[in-house]
Amino acid sequence: MPQARAEERDKLEELTRRIRRDIVVATTAAGSGHPSSSLSMVELCTSLFFGGVLRYDPANPQDPDRDRFILSKGHAAPGLYSVLAEAGYFPTENLQTLRKIGSPLEGHPNMNRLPGVEASTGSLGQGLSIGVGHALAARLDGRDSRVYVIVGDGESGEGQLWEAVMYAGNHGLDNLTCIVDHNGYQQTGAVADIQPLDPLTQKYEAFGWAAREIDGHSLDEVTDAFDWVRGIEGRPQAIIARTVKGKGVSLLEADPGNWHGKPIPPEEEAKALEEIGAPA
Amino acid sequence: MTFGITRVDLEVGDSTRAAFGEALAAAGADERVVVVDGDVNNSTYTNKFKAKYPERFFNAGIAESNLVGIAAGLAASGKIPVVASFSTFLLSNAFDQIRMSVAFPNQNVKLVGTHAGISIGEDGPSQMAIEDVAQACAFPGMTVIVPADAPSAQAATQAMIEREGPTFLRCGRPNVPVVYPNGPELHVGRANTLREGDDITLVANGIMVAMALDAAQALADDGIEARVLDFHTVKPIDSETLEQAAVETKGIVVAEEHMAYGGLGATVAMALAERHPTKMAFVNVGDTYATSGKPDEILAQYGLTPDAILDAARRTLKG
């Protein structure tokens, strides 16, 4: 690996630790929320926002030429907020207001209250359609904006998602990337037991997408995948990211089927932060 | 199509859906206007827009949830998307998408439901939207417009596009009598007084407006002066005009081509209950689904006729 890229990766790794810390601290302070669903997408979001992939400007959040990032799995809001704070949309200390009355950091993302949030989500299955709309608008206006949507694997049971996948594939929306945070678990158990999705890569390919499966916690593979999507012409791209629900915290990783939508108890927080290796 | 109207001289004009389609094609001069179709553009007449502006016309197929989501994204990127489909499929199939992707984030999406009500006729109850006004009114911040005739539908389409914010426009299938031969003054949220009278008030929208005018004529023949109000906007409701009518007349009849709950009648009753309770009667489809048949036959079977309004008015005055 070239030196520059290794340094870049070290920087991103440090950011993933900070973002994981912020997710844990904010949800434990809130006493509710979805840390495990947030922790699985940290490398994906970190590479997007801080690896030179996403074009954005916190000082001009409505710039028509910006890229769009849509978190379709809106319950992973603590992950989104931690990334947006790190990106400079608001001070990191505001993360402590998560889910509290008066705070724009609502339980699920609210685009009208928090700059940087591109879509209000929380009813599953809707983000990719919204992404298609943005992609069509960019195409119509001749802008080179790109649209990135993160969907969950449990969320992929929603029919609307597949309506959007079919539309994007049929219309060759190559400015649209769908990232599946395939952490393997939904609210009450394993996706493979409830509504199996695999072979997911082939499903996207069958709908006319370019699709690739990666290790969603390998910054190298994630970075490569984002390089790859930007080189694809004529087809939307799907990144099927194999991830671990609750990644980085052994308590959550050990029993992912039982930790959906539950914060880390205060007495477990110190151990979790130690495992994450977060800076104080 | 006369809907049993015999006592007033109203020419039959275009359907409200055809008028919407014409007005939409004209509105396309604004390059921000885009259309998202659920493969019914020759039924909703968005094909007129498609013919003029094919690059801004997206037929996303039979997938109402996706249509609404796409429209939300287009709106968030600065477009003025108009989503048109059969009203029952748009509102019922995409209810959650309208709630979550349009109404909650207050996106500038225009929802147009055609083939509303029971006057669609032979296609039958699966295609008839009789709950759609209630559904649309249930979204906080949604403007809900039900035009009475083709000129109103044209004016409403223009107003809807000029106005910022999520809006539902309800159009019908059949050709309908022209209430406004010279075109209406249509201000969203303000009812039109079509006939003055101080004995009783007939409040109506959609195809029931022409019937209310017919009933008012019959009442006049009996020496009863009925005020006729076209409540093209259900939400926001024009409470001032209602209060004035409640104060100045002896009762209010509300007529709509919708089921009994959650539509114009319920909205009028709520407004008046707070401001000036008065005697009321309601003419609507009731708490039932309709059936197949010729539009006039169905309307008669489910009590949507000038005579039904007339009876309701007499009942109210007697009661």
Side-chain angles (χ1 to χ4, degrees):
Chain A
M1 181 180 299
Q3 183 66 25
R5 185 132 193 196
E7 279 174 18
E8 171 78 2
R9 197 192 56 191
D10 289 348
K11 187 195 88 183
L12 291 180
E13 268 177 5
E14 175 66 16
L15 277 169
T16 62
R17 286 192 287 274
R18 279 164 47 179
I19 289 164
R20 284 204 161 87
R21 171 200 64 190
D22 290 346
I23 290 167
V24 167
V25 171
T27 49
T28 295
S32 67
H34 298 75
S36 66
S37 310
S38 301
L39 290 166
S40 62
M41 63 174 199
V42 169
E43 280 76 15
L44 299 169
C45 293
T46 301
S47 177
L48 255 178
F49 276 80
F50 309 109
V53 180
L54 196 74
R55 188 167 63 194
Y56 64 98
D57 177 8
N60 187 11
Q62 288 300 313
D63 180 358
D65 286 317
R66 73 193 185 281
D67 291 339
R68 271 68 163 175
F69 172 69
I70 293 169
L71 181 66
S72 190
K73 44 174 279 186
H75 53 284
L80 173 63
Y81 300 156
S82 299
V83 169
L84 292 179
E86 194 65 53
Y89 283 94
F90 54 87
T92 305
E93 56 261 33
N94 292 9
L95 291 168
Q96 293 308 303
T97 67
L98 175 70
R99 290 178 163 246
K100 294 197 169 75
I101 188 90
S103 170
L105 279 65
E106 297 192 8
H108 292 77
N110 181 339
M111 66 186 285
N112 288 340
R113 293 195 67 193
L114 193 62
V117 173
E118 293 283 3
S120 297
T121 51
S123 178
L124 294 173
Q126 303 198 18
L128 192 63
S129 297
I130 296 170
V132 168
H134 279 288
L136 287 172
R139 186 188 261 190
L140 209 50
D141 292 343
R143 299 183 197 276
D144 64 353
S145 301
R146 293 188 49 87
V147 183
Y148 299 89
V149 182
I150 289 192
V151 306
D153 49 6
E155 178 184 16
S156 301
E158 292 281 4
Q160 184 190 355
L161 176 81
W162 297 100
E163 295 179 5
V165 170
M166 181 151 60
Y167 184 90
N170 283 334
H171 292 79
L173 287 179
D174 55 11
N175 54 351
L176 176 69
T177 301
C178 180
I179 304 141
V180 184
D181 180 7
H182 200 353
N183 62 32
Y185 284 85
Q186 47 196 93
Q187 179 154 330
T188 68
V191 175
D193 293 333
I194 294 163
Q195 185 72 297
L197 280 179
D198 293 328
L200 193 50
T201 309
Q202 288 90 328
K203 282 193 173 83
Y204 273 90
E205 285 171 345
F207 280 106
W209 290 54
R212 170 191 278 202
E213 186 173 322
I214 62 164
D215 173 352
H217 296 305
S218 158
L219 279 169
D220 291 334
E221 290 194 29
V222 173
T223 303
D224 283 349
F226 285 130
D227 284 344
W228 167 74
V229 298
R230 286 175 288 174
I232 302 283
E233 286 183 14
R235 281 180 297 167
Q237 316 87 38
I239 298 171
I240 314 301
R242 294 271 172 193
T243 57
V244 174
K245 195 158 178 171
K247 176 71 177 178
V249 179
S250 60
L251 179 72
L252 307 182
E253 286 191 32
D255 194 7
N258 273 322
W259 279 100
H260 180 90
K262 295 175 189 164
I264 292 163
E267 62 273 20
E268 302 281 351
E269 187 184 32
K271 184 176 177 236
L273 294 178
E274 194 185 320
E275 288 175 358
I276 287 167
Chain B
M1 196 66 51
T2 57
F3 306 136
I5 294 163
T6 54
R7 290 164 286 223
V8 287
D9 186 23
L10 301 179
E11 300 260 327
V12 174
D14 273 344
S15 63
T16 48
R17 61 179 167 132
F20 149 71
E22 292 278 356
L24 178 65
D30 181 338
E31 289 193 352
R32 295 172 302 168
V33 177
V34 298
V35 172
V36 188
D37 168 39
D39 197 38
V40 284
N41 61 77
N42 55 354
S43 298
T44 61
Y45 289 113
T46 56
N47 57 0
K48 292 175 184 172
F49 182 97
K50 179 188 176 188
K52 279 175 85 173
Y53 307 105
E55 72 287 355
R56 284 188 268 138
F57 179 89
F58 306 104
N59 182 349
I62 304 161
E64 289 78 14
S65 307
N66 193 37
L67 300 187
V68 171
I70 290 175
L74 286 160
S77 269
K79 303 299 175 191
I80 304 175
V82 178
V83 186
S85 187
F86 282 38
S87 204
T88 191
F89 307 137
L90 184 58
L91 268 299
S92 299
N93 203 319
F95 191 85
D96 185 26
Q97 288 72 25
I98 297 171
R99 171 181 176 269
M100 191 65 215
S101 294
V102 175
F104 170 53
N106 196 36
Q107 291 295 300
N108 193 26
V109 172
K110 315 304 177 184
L111 303 159
V112 180
T114 66
H115 298 67
I118 63 175
S119 60
I120 68 166
E122 290 82 351
D123 276 344
S126 69
Q127 320 295 299
M128 294 171 177
I130 58 167
E131 315 94 331
D132 54 340
V133 175
Q135 290 170 308
C137 284
F139 299 114
M142 182 74 69
T143 298
V144 178
I145 308 175
V146 184
D149 65 358
S152 304
Q154 281 210 333
T157 302
Q158 208 178 333
M160 164 181 86
I161 285 167
E162 285 167 3
R163 213 180 135 82
E164 179 78 19
T167 305
F168 171 63
L169 174 66
R170 187 191 206 220
C171 294
R173 180 181 181 276
N175 293 340
V176 289
V178 176
V179 173
Y180 297 94
N182 303 315
E185 277 277 318
L186 192 141
H187 300 286
V188 174
R190 201 184 312 159
N192 286 347
T193 303
L194 293 178
R195 185 175 172 127
E196 298 287 356
D198 287 332
D199 292 321
I200 190 156
T201 302
L202 309 180
V203 167
N205 64 15
I207 62 167
M208 303 309 291
V209 174
M211 294 193 210
L213 286 171
D214 192 85
Q217 184 57 51
L219 288 166
D221 293 344
D222 284 354
I224 299 164
E225 289 307 322
R227 180 176 306 188
V228 178
L229 301 176
D230 171 10
F231 262 74
H232 47 77
T233 308
V234 182
K235 209 178 128 194
I237 194 78
D238 181 355
S239 298
E240 284 76 27
T241 299
L242 286 173
E243 183 176 1
Q244 197 186 351
V247 169
E248 294 174 359
T249 70
K250 300 182 191 76
I252 292 186
V253 175
V254 186
E256 62 187 318
E257 192 189 7
H258 189 268
M259 61 95 62
Y261 294 87
L264 180 64
T267 308
V268 168
M270 185 170 67
L272 286 175
E274 192 164 69
R275 287 178 166 247
H276 193 94
T278 186
K279 278 186 285 184
M280 294 187 71
F282 302 92
V283 175
N284 53 50
V285 178
D287 190 20
T288 184
Y289 288 99
T291 185
S292 284
K294 289 190 167 53
D296 270 334
E297 296 170 345
I298 302 170
L299 290 166
Q301 185 163 323
Y302 290 88
L304 300 190
T305 59
D307 284 347
I309 299 173
L310 185 57
D311 288 348
R314 286 181 175 144
R315 258 194 341 264
T316 307
L317 286 171
K318 246 190 234 162

